[in-house]
Structures are given as structure tokens and as C-alpha cells.
Amino acid sequence: MLEILMAIIKTLILLGILVIIHEGGHFVVAKLCKVKVNEFSIGFGKILLSRQKGETKYCLRLIPLGGFVSMEGEEEHSDAEGSFSNASILKKIAIVSAGAIVNILFGLLVYFLLITFHYGIEIAAKSTINYIGALEDSIRILFTGGTTIDDLAGPVGVATIVSQTSSLTDFIYLLSVISLSLGITNLIPIPPLD
């Protein structure tokens, strides 16, 4: 029972970090592009906590398996000031891709810092370059048919993998891998992957 509880806690921490990083990317770039953010939410379903600050409502919701940034004019056209509808194509692309890009950068930074902590900067730089190379190979395999969308893990698969981590180092390494995977799959234009 304790093992199951620890697996759930570790999974929620890992997913929570990744969701905050991902949605934070959308949020920050939207703000930089002067697009109005109506709500920044971690989780789905019923609101547990909320706070209005300026034009944005910040929420923590019941189901901690995702999150969202709700922008003015995102779902339907709006001519209001700061509307996503009226943003330039480049701004829209920047906002939409920001979450994925931040996940990729975060994943690489976490990996670099983890290796630096254990082996030093010389080795960490070389290992990170090799890590990027392995990442490129994985993307190539995904696009050339060496693997399928069915091979990708959802929340249950992630929970299973997280439950098998036995040390902080393993957990941090997994955080890096899943952040990178999340970033890459979100750059692929297939809606179910977002």
C-alpha cells in the first residue's frame, strides 16, 4: 500500500512540474505578445483554489493530469484588445509552440545539471550532446515507421515507469526524459498528443 501511495505521489509531482513548465511557456509568451490570458490553470475539473490577479485568474483544479492557458479569442473569434484572434501569425506560432519548446529546453537543462553534479562540466557537455543525438534518432524512428503512436506512454504508462524509480537521480533523469518527450510530441501536429 505504501509503495502504491509513493508511486502516486511521485507521479503527481513529476506531472505537476511538467505541466507548470509547459503551460508556463504558453503563459509567458502570450504575455510577452500582449495577448490577454483569462485563466492559467493547473489540473482539470472542479476548481479547488483560485486567485484573480490583474486580468488573469489562477486556478488549481481537482484532476492533476494536465492544465491549460485560456486566452481571449482562442476558442472563438474576439475583437477585444489583446485577443489571440487578432495576434499576428508569428505571435500565434510562438505562443502555441512555447510550451513544447520550454519542455525541451527544461529537459536538456535538467539532464545537463544532473550529469554536471555527478561528473563535472567537461563530461556533462559531451554527454548532453550525445543525449541530443539520441533524441534526434528517436524522432527519426518515429517518423520513419520504426515505432507508432501506440508505443507512446500516457499517464498510466508514466505512472508505471515513475513507480520503478528508486533514487532521486533516477527520478530527475526520468523528469528530463519525459519533459523532452512531451516537448517533442507536442511539436508533432497530431491533436491527441497535446
Side-chain angles (χ1 to χ4, degrees):
M1 185 66 181
L2 183 60
E3 287 182 11
I4 294 171
L5 183 60
M6 286 305 296
I8 291 170
I9 291 169
K10 287 194 289 187
T11 302
L12 292 178
I13 290 170
L14 185 138
L15 291 177
I17 291 168
L18 295 181
V19 167
I20 290 168
I21 294 294
H22 184 85
E23 298 304 332
H26 292 308
F27 175 79
V28 169
V29 175
K31 289 288 193 179
L32 290 173
C33 291
K34 308 293 187 203
V35 170
K36 182 182 178 187
V37 177
N38 294 323
E39 184 176 337
F40 177 91
S41 189
I42 300 301
F44 298 113
K46 184 178 178 182
I47 295 174
L48 299 176
L49 298 169
S50 70
R51 181 178 179 192
Q52 186 78 31
K53 187 173 180 184
E55 65 186 16
T56 306
K57 182 180 181 182
Y58 298 87
C59 299
L60 180 63
R61 293 173 177 262
L62 181 62
I63 305 168
L65 297 177
F68 61 91
V69 171
S70 175
M71 295 171 280
E72 179 70 31
E74 179 184 15
E75 296 296 324
E76 52 188 50
H77 185 81
S78 169
D79 287 321
E81 185 179 349
S83 168
F84 182 79
S85 307
N86 294 331
S88 70
I89 295 293
L90 286 177
K91 286 183 178 180
K92 287 178 181 176
I93 290 171
I95 293 166
V96 171
S97 63
I101 291 169
V102 168
N103 274 124
I104 291 169
L105 294 175
F106 177 75
L108 291 173
L109 177 63
V110 166
Y111 181 82
F112 176 78
L113 293 175
L114 181 64
I115 302 301
T116 298
F117 178 77
H118 286 287
Y119 303 105
I121 292 177
E122 312 288 2
I123 292 176
K126 185 176 180 181
S127 183
T128 303
I129 290 168
N130 292 337
Y131 192 47
I132 293 169
L135 191 62
E136 290 172 356
D137 291 341
S138 299
I139 295 168
R140 195 175 303 110
I141 290 168
L142 182 64
F143 280 103
T144 56
T147 189
T148 66
I149 297 302
D150 295 333
D151 295 325
L152 300 175
V156 174
V158 169
T160 302
I161 296 166
V162 171
S163 69
Q164 296 168 1
T165 59
S166 57
S167 69
L168 183 59
T169 296
D170 289 345
F171 181 83
I172 293 171
Y173 175 72
L174 190 60
L175 178 67
S176 167
V177 170
I178 295 176
S179 187
L180 284 165
S181 300
L182 178 64
I184 291 164
T185 54
N186 271 262
L187 287 177
I188 300 170
I190 302 174
L193 297 180
D194 189 10

